[in-house]
Amino acid sequence: MWDSMFLSTLTPKFYVALTGTSSLISGLILIFEWWYFRKYGTSFIEQVSINHISPWISGDYRDDSPSANSSQPAQSPVPECKVWRNPLSLYRGAEYQRFYWATNKEPLTYYDMNLSAQDHQTFFTCEADAGKAEYEIMQTAWRERNPQVRLKAAHSAIEKNPDCATAYILLAEEEATTITEAEKILKQAYKVAESNYKKSQALLHQGALMEAQHRRDTNVLIYIKRRLAMCCRRLGKLKEAVKMFRDLTKEVPPIMNVLNIHENLIEVLLQMQAYADVQAVLAKYDDISLPKSATICYTAALLKARSVADKFSPDIASKRGLNNAELQAVEAIHRAVEFNPHVPKYLLEMKPLILPPEHILKRGDSEALSYSFFHLSHWKAIDGALNLLHCTWEGTFRMLPYPLERGHLFYPYPTCTECADRELLPAFHEVSVYPKKELPFFIIFTAGLCSFTALLALLTHQYPDLMGVFAKSVVNWISLPLFYLYEKVENIVPPNLLQQIIRI
């Protein structure tokens, strides 16, 4: 046969040169593919095939390469991982404790509770408390690790002074085993706090100590009113809760900077399905100069999705393309997912929810848990919203060039969130980390091809005669089916016709 004559003329040097050249070419392709992936976040071969070859075949050419769309807004410096007070935190006695009784698992970490103790000391104590037994007792009570000792200290403070509002706060948070009991204690605390506020307001200008005391009394009054509003939300008194939250958003003391009461207001309005009011709140707080949160970003996406979700079909959209309303909804989802990529798995129930911590890390798993715990029902209330989220959220990771180094709409995703979330979330919870972008198929294929040809080149160089025999055997195995098919065709087709076709 003609192939045996051809193969017999090939020397071992030919096989060495062939495998070496193949290894070099595949290696160069691999290096270029890896560089392109690092720079643009996608495979060059895949990008060319999707954006150039496929449109030419289909007759709809458009240049969407990353180099044509690489302009990005100026990125602000990456901020440090700051832990925020959870605006939707639960009650320790009425909610966290009930979880412990049911599961025998601690829902809060010591680190999280210690941060709460620091918050209470910051806002509920002042220099004017020196020499006042009840307030000195409460200063140590916030730092006490044993809950029974804390409750005992709070009762002791009330015995010494029935007007010690901070002691009532501790009892409402930890001793009350139902929301109704917590509301009852908070109403009593509110009367006491309001009386203390008016007294300190009258003495406001009598020195620095009185100013500090008035600032503390203001913080206590605002905190109690906020927790009372949250009790109303839990008990279904939504209109009353909305009124209280709206009143609180008009306050301006420094404590308002950490409470984020507008997120409570958004959540209650969503429960009432007052979407126009929610949009009005977002218009005020979703500003470029204000810090973002999962509540802001995902609520904006939910409102955009609401107008198109009930009629959205991925099959139809892929054929006709996205209309303007659908495009806005998809872009809003991409924006939200870029800010916090952990939320969709909880909303789509791909990962189990647990009780949210008392502190959250923005863009972290703790914030995703807190948002999803309270807002999952709002997404379910809008028909098709979760389906739209399911169809579009993963596209964000294909859009982002290299998210841990630079972002598209926000600063790069912080790498420190995982460590902070592990401190905030209980040990039985599997902490979500930023979804790493998988290597494209062509990079893996090229790497495998390069490694295989390099191995062949090495073996051929070391054992040229043996590899020559092996190469001839492989070629013979591959050619056997072809020659078998050729003989069958030769038996069926007249020889003259076959010779003419071969000549052509």
Side-chain angles (χ1 to χ4, degrees), residues 3-250:
D3 67 313
S4 59
M5 294 178 60
F6 171 75
L7 291 175
S8 63
T9 60
L10 299 179
T11 64
K13 291 183 179 181
F14 169 80
Y15 295 109
V16 174
L18 176 64
T19 52
T21 304
S22 302
S23 177
L24 177 63
I25 294 173
S26 58
L28 292 175
I29 295 173
L30 174 63
I31 292 171
F32 177 76
E33 276 280 285
W34 179 252
W35 168 82
Y36 195 89
F37 177 73
R38 286 295 301 266
K39 187 171 183 179
Y40 298 115
T42 186
S43 166
F44 174 77
I45 299 175
E46 182 181 357
Q47 197 73 13
V48 169
S49 62
I50 293 175
N51 294 322
H52 297 277
I53 299 176
S54 296
W56 276 337
I57 295 174
S58 62
D60 182 22
Y61 177 75
R62 183 180 61 184
D63 187 6
D64 288 334
S65 63
S67 57
N69 298 285
S70 59
S71 59
Q72 293 183 1
Q75 301 293 340
S76 58
V78 180
E80 296 180 359
C81 290
K82 180 181 178 182
V83 177
W84 296 73
R85 181 83 184 183
N86 185 0
L88 297 170
S89 60
L90 305 177
Y91 289 83
R92 288 189 185 179
E95 291 169 316
Y96 287 121
Q97 188 64 29
R98 296 171 74 86
F99 175 83
Y100 177 75
W101 292 339
T103 64
N104 201 31
K105 294 179 179 179
E106 290 288 352
L108 297 175
T109 63
Y110 175 68
Y111 175 75
D112 190 18
M113 292 189 289
N114 188 50
L115 290 176
S116 297
Q118 294 176 17
D119 294 339
H120 296 150
Q121 283 184 286
T122 302
F123 295 111
F124 299 157
T125 60
C126 66
E127 298 86 349
D129 294 339
K132 298 178 182 179
E134 68 277 12
Y135 287 105
E136 289 180 349
I137 290 174
M138 289 308 300
Q139 283 183 358
T140 59
W142 298 124
R143 296 194 300 266
E144 180 57 51
R145 187 168 184 176
N146 190 324
Q148 296 303 321
V149 175
R150 288 199 298 269
L151 295 176
K152 186 177 179 180
H155 283 292
S156 176
I158 292 175
E159 289 176 4
K160 293 182 180 298
N161 181 7
D163 292 338
C164 184
T166 55
Y168 289 105
I169 291 176
L170 195 149
L171 294 178
E173 293 283 349
E174 301 192 26
E175 188 175 55
T177 57
T178 64
I179 299 297
T180 305
E181 291 178 19
E183 184 185 38
K184 183 179 178 181
I185 298 174
L186 285 171
K187 285 181 177 179
Q188 188 177 0
Y190 187 76
K191 293 179 181 178
V192 172
E194 194 172 29
S195 175
N196 292 340
Y197 172 80
K198 291 178 180 178
K199 291 177 183 177
S200 62
Q201 189 177 34
L203 305 173
L204 177 60
H205 303 293
Q206 294 188 8
L209 289 179
M210 295 311 301
E211 289 183 5
Q213 182 175 331
H214 178 68
R215 185 164 55 250
R216 190 273 311 278
D217 291 340
T218 302
N219 293 339
V220 170
L221 186 64
I222 290 174
Y223 182 89
I224 293 173
K225 189 172 182 180
R226 189 264 190 89
R227 295 303 266 176
L228 269 174
M230 294 178 75
C231 284
C232 293
R233 163 67 181 92
R234 301 283 203 283
L235 297 173
K237 297 181 284 188
L238 302 182
K239 290 184 179 180
E240 186 176 346
V242 167
K243 183 180 183 303
M244 296 175 73
F245 284 133
R246 286 192 186 279
D247 292 341
L248 284 170
T249 55
K250 299 173 185 177

Side-chain angles (χ1 to χ4, degrees), residues 319-480:
K319 292 178 181 178
R320 63 166 170 78
L322 298 173
N323 58 38
N324 187 48
E326 291 172 340
L327 185 61
Q328 290 184 5
V330 171
E331 287 177 350
I333 291 175
H334 286 169
R335 171 180 181 256
V337 175
E338 181 182 348
F339 181 82
N340 193 318
H342 310 301
V343 173
K345 284 192 175 183
Y346 293 111
L347 291 180
L348 297 172
E349 299 182 80
M350 300 165 65
K351 193 174 180 183
L353 282 170
I354 63 170
L355 296 185
E358 293 183 337
H359 288 80
I360 59 173
L361 188 68
K362 287 191 175 182
R363 306 188 74 179
D365 191 34
S366 51
E367 184 192 34
L369 268 170
S370 178
Y371 172 81
S372 304
F373 185 85
F374 290 97
H375 287 261
L376 176 58
S377 59
H378 307 324
W379 280 81
K380 288 184 175 181
I382 297 178
D383 187 29
L386 288 175
N387 177 52
L388 179 60
L389 177 67
H390 176 73
C391 296
T392 58
W393 74 279
E394 289 182 329
T396 307
F397 306 114
R398 291 191 292 271
M399 290 175 55
L400 295 179
Y402 205 63
L404 297 180
E405 294 181 4
R406 60 182 181 271
H408 181 62
L409 298 170
F410 299 98
Y411 49 83
Y413 186 83
T415 55
C416 58
T417 56
E418 183 179 354
C419 296
D421 280 330
R422 291 190 188 280
E423 295 288 338
L424 289 172
L425 297 171
F428 59 82
H429 173 72
E430 182 183 352
V431 176
S432 296
V433 296
Y434 196 93
K436 302 293 190 300
K437 180 175 284 189
E438 295 181 358
L439 289 176
F441 166 76
F442 288 106
I443 287 184
I444 299 174
F445 175 77
T446 308
L449 181 63
C450 176
S451 302
F452 178 71
T453 53
L455 179 63
L456 284 181
L458 178 63
L459 292 175
T460 306
H461 182 266
Q462 293 292 329
Y463 311 103
D465 296 331
L466 185 61
M467 290 302 294
V469 174
F470 175 75
K472 292 177 182 178
S473 301
V474 170
V475 171
N476 285 330
W477 292 338
I478 295 174
S479 62
L480 278 176

